Amino acid sequence: MEKLIINGPTPLKGEVNISGAKNSAVAILPATLLIDGVCTINNVPNIMDVKLSCQILEGLGAKIKWIDKNSIEIDTRNITNTIAPIDLTRKFRASYYLIGSMLGRKKEIEVGLPGGCNLGARPIDQHIKGFEALGAEVEITGGNVRATAKHLIGSNIYMDIVSVGATINVMLASVLAEGTTIIDNAAKEPHIVDIANFLNTMGADIRGAGTDMIKINGVKSLKGGQSYSVVPDQIEAGTFMLAAIASKGDLIIKNCITKHLECITAKILEIGGNVDMNGDKLRVWCDKRPSKAIIKTLPYPGFPTDLQPQMGVVLSLAEGTSIINESIWESRFQYTNELNKMGAQITAQGKSAIFEGVTKLSGASVYSTDLRAGAALIVAGIAAEGRTEVYNLEHIDRGYENIEEKFRNIGADIVRVVE
Ligand code: EPU
């Protein structure tokens, strides 16, 4: 078993480069199934979820060639299977994008019900509603999802809730459908725009991504023959921004889209941190104890749920009493038990948590309960006094590229060891 050993506290200082967005890459890779050709994807984060996505694509007949550690050439001319490697699809959430892509490409697909972080109930009813509106039949049996269609015909689809996954999945299924599809009450996250840009680069006709109404005019085929670069990871950038604040450090965060970080910047400024945006980089620093805040997680452009645990670390060290209301996931406060082992004073109940700010955290052995919880525990270990051991690294490795090396390069005393 691997663990991270962190000795703190260390004020983080220096420059860090942001990788391509995980949640974009894990949708773009299955989206390549819509292409009858070859394409190259650059700025791909080298993480477990991407490696799994590649294995699944190969299982369906795609040919994958890693050009370097962040670039992949994908040949999807010969897609032979319509049953995805079931065990692999159960290992992560984004395998649900195979349904939209393969419905578009082959009108048929079977995948395992998607797994991923345990954040409470994660239904896919809005995905299914969209596929059915386009003319597909969807059946869930024996833990698998099977979707088939004779024809896919464009439709007007109103999403009952704002869902990132359902918006992307229905967009994927409608790219090669006959006629026009309109997705109303669509999610607006940066990676939705990224996936639409990718598909348009390959020949699709998608308009309005990034607004709450997306219009997809079906095209006959996607030819590929192009390269595309994945957008920088908003959540990785936000994780380092909050690490700078929690550790009272001073970081230059490079290769990011500062517009995507405004929702985080606003809260950092409110609690007394500093942010200076400059082109595709920003400087974040903090030289005093942050002050309390009230946070509610919301779909983009609201405060992202995927930065809630990292912000929780900052607020556990802030002056005064803070409140976080988690409005996206039922069960995203599991990390607070681990932070309390480090001396935090957090009371979590249901979808709310109260943070009585403490002046210091102390090192302890802690367990990541999910991906972002794991990132938050690393940040806590860097800010805490003494030795912290972080376990269950498989969650963290699913979504962060070289995380300990990136933190080491900005001064953290962090090593990975095999126990
Ligand atoms: N929901 C439904 N029905 C659906 C779909 C969603 O009720 O058919 C509910 C969910 O239960 C949740 C809310 O709608 O309460 C929003 O879920 P959404 O569909 O937006 O989430 P997702 O697509 O499953 C993606 C990210 C998550 C991120 C959320 C919210 C991927 C692979 N995952 O999940 O990322 O938290 O959007 O921004 O893109 C992470 O990276 O750590 C992570 C969990």
Side-chain angles (χ1 to χ4, degrees), residues 22-24 26-27 49 92-97 116-117 119-129 159 161-168 187 189 191 235 298-300 304-306 326-330 332 351 370-373 398-400:
K22 163 200 166 250
N23 286 344
S24 206
V26 295
D49 275 7
F92 70 135
R93 194 76 198 151
S95 51
Y96 52 33
Y97 294 132
C117 290
L119 310 172
R122 298 187 76 172
I124 56 166
D125 56 299
Q126 297 302 304
H127 304 234
I128 295 173
K129 172 180 163 171
M159 294 286 172
I161 40 139
V162 178
S163 160
V164 174
T167 301
I168 294 174
E189 267 64 8
H191 47 292
I235 303 301
L298 287 168
Y300 187 82
T305 172
D306 293 346
E326 169 58 58
S327 81
I328 310 289
W329 299 116
E330 268 173 14
R332 206 167 204 176
K351 290 171 106 178
D370 62 73
L371 168 61
R372 308 302 172 186
R398 282 191 33 230
Y400 286 91

Side-chain angles (χ1 to χ4, degrees), residues 40 58 140 162 282 292 316 382:
T40 304
E58 284 174 329
I140 300 182
V162 178
L282 43 81
K292 66 183 177 179
S316 67
I382 292 167

